[in-house]
Amino acid sequence: MDTSSVTAISAEPYPFEFFPAKCALLIIDMQRDFLEPGGFGEMLGNDVSQLRRTIGPNQALLAAWRAAGLQVIHTREGHRPDLADLPPEKKVRGKSEKSIGDPGPMGRILIRGEAGHDIIPELYPEPGEPVIDKPGKGAFFATDLHAILQNRGITQLVVTGVTTEVCVNTTVREANDRGYNCLVPSDCVGSYFPDFQEWGLKMIKAQGGIFGWVTDSAAILPALA
Ligand code: TIU
């Protein structure tokens, strides 16, 4: 494709001006512990099927994005094995029987290097695609994401992944404050809670697009052809 072209992608609250050469696909935390049956998310009583419906649409979008030669960045939420970057309050909040750093169904929970912390095989990063390891919910906090985007001339983000109201929303808000325009395809983001999926997206596009734009992957795919 001609990456210098500009396309209007149908979106809410109004069409999104897509500059392919300046737009990265940012896939948030599609990790085994959040998405796979038997993982940490399900162990906490969550319905992982609410997240798993995003895998197919993300695969299609990622394949088209790669075929168009555009930039892809992945994130993972997790901590150092020595827990030095884990706020003590994050460790104990929720009072669950098992928490971050404890042995879980797929290795130590949300610890870098463990199987459950890694990205699901369906969306596994290819060589050359940066993977941002983040200790918080937002992808900009305590990471080099902003520097990587600036060095690559990126001004726009298509943000996908999980969960809609937590790490996706936090990252979109952080990006907005740093001057990036964000487009969120609703079928490529998921929440364990249907209400939060709906309201998490409404909060992004309200007030004339206070944090960004919302669309679906079917509206983006033709712009990548
Ligand atoms: N990636 C992300 O959203 N982390 C979370 O902990 N999400 C929850 O919804 N718990």
Side-chain angles (χ1 to χ4, degrees):
M1 72 179 292
D2 173 11
T3 59
S4 65
S5 63
V6 187
T7 314
I9 293 176
S10 173
E12 291 182 310
Y14 55 89
F16 179 85
E17 270 199 354
F18 175 52
F19 295 88
K22 296 182 174 187
C23 190
L25 176 62
L26 182 63
I27 307 177
I28 303 291
D29 299 0
M30 292 293 279
Q31 292 163 254
R32 298 184 62 194
D33 252 336
F34 292 128
L35 285 128
E36 292 195 351
F40 179 51
E42 190 176 74
M43 203 180 77
L44 293 177
N46 293 309
D47 174 9
V48 294
S49 70
Q50 295 287 344
L51 305 194
R52 296 192 63 78
R53 63 161 185 78
T54 70
I55 296 174
N58 265 293
Q59 281 182 298
L61 185 60
L62 178 58
W65 206 269
R66 283 172 173 160
L70 307 184
Q71 303 203 36
V72 180
I73 298 179
H74 307 259
T75 73
R76 299 183 294 203
E77 179 178 351
H79 296 274
R80 296 161 50 110
D82 64 5
L83 306 184
D85 62 350
L86 175 63
E89 295 307 321
K90 182 177 180 183
K91 165 91 178 145
V92 300
R93 197 180 307 127
K95 299 188 190 295
S96 65
E97 203 174 300
K98 292 219 173 205
S99 67
I100 297 169
D102 294 342
M106 288 187 278
R108 291 179 68 201
I109 294 164
L110 292 189
I111 297 301
R112 295 175 191 163
E114 301 288 342
H117 168 265
D118 210 354
I119 293 171
I120 58 171
E122 295 93 328
L123 296 170
Y124 210 74
E126 284 187 350
E129 295 175 354
V131 178
I132 307 290
D133 277 320
K134 62 188 186 62
K137 303 306 183 195
F140 289 85
F141 170 69
T143 73
D144 51 10
L145 176 59
H146 188 49
I148 291 173
L149 296 174
Q150 289 200 309
N151 293 339
R152 295 177 171 206
I154 297 297
T155 62
Q156 312 186 316
L157 300 169
V158 169
V159 185
T160 75
V162 298
T163 61
T164 307
E165 79 280 15
V166 182
C167 292
V168 171
N169 242 280
T170 306
T171 297
V172 167
R173 290 166 187 231
E174 286 183 328
N176 177 70
D177 280 343
R178 287 164 177 78
Y180 299 95
N181 278 335
C182 294
L183 177 64
V184 180
S186 58
D187 54 330
C188 295
V189 296
S191 168
Y192 295 121
F193 309 100
D195 287 0
F196 292 170
Q197 170 74 6
E198 182 188 345
W199 284 98
L201 294 169
K202 280 183 175 166
M203 281 191 271
I204 290 168
K205 68 186 179 188
Q207 300 186 60
I210 192 86
F211 298 123
W213 287 256
V214 175
T215 187
D216 57 24
S217 59
I220 300 176
L221 292 171
L224 300 170

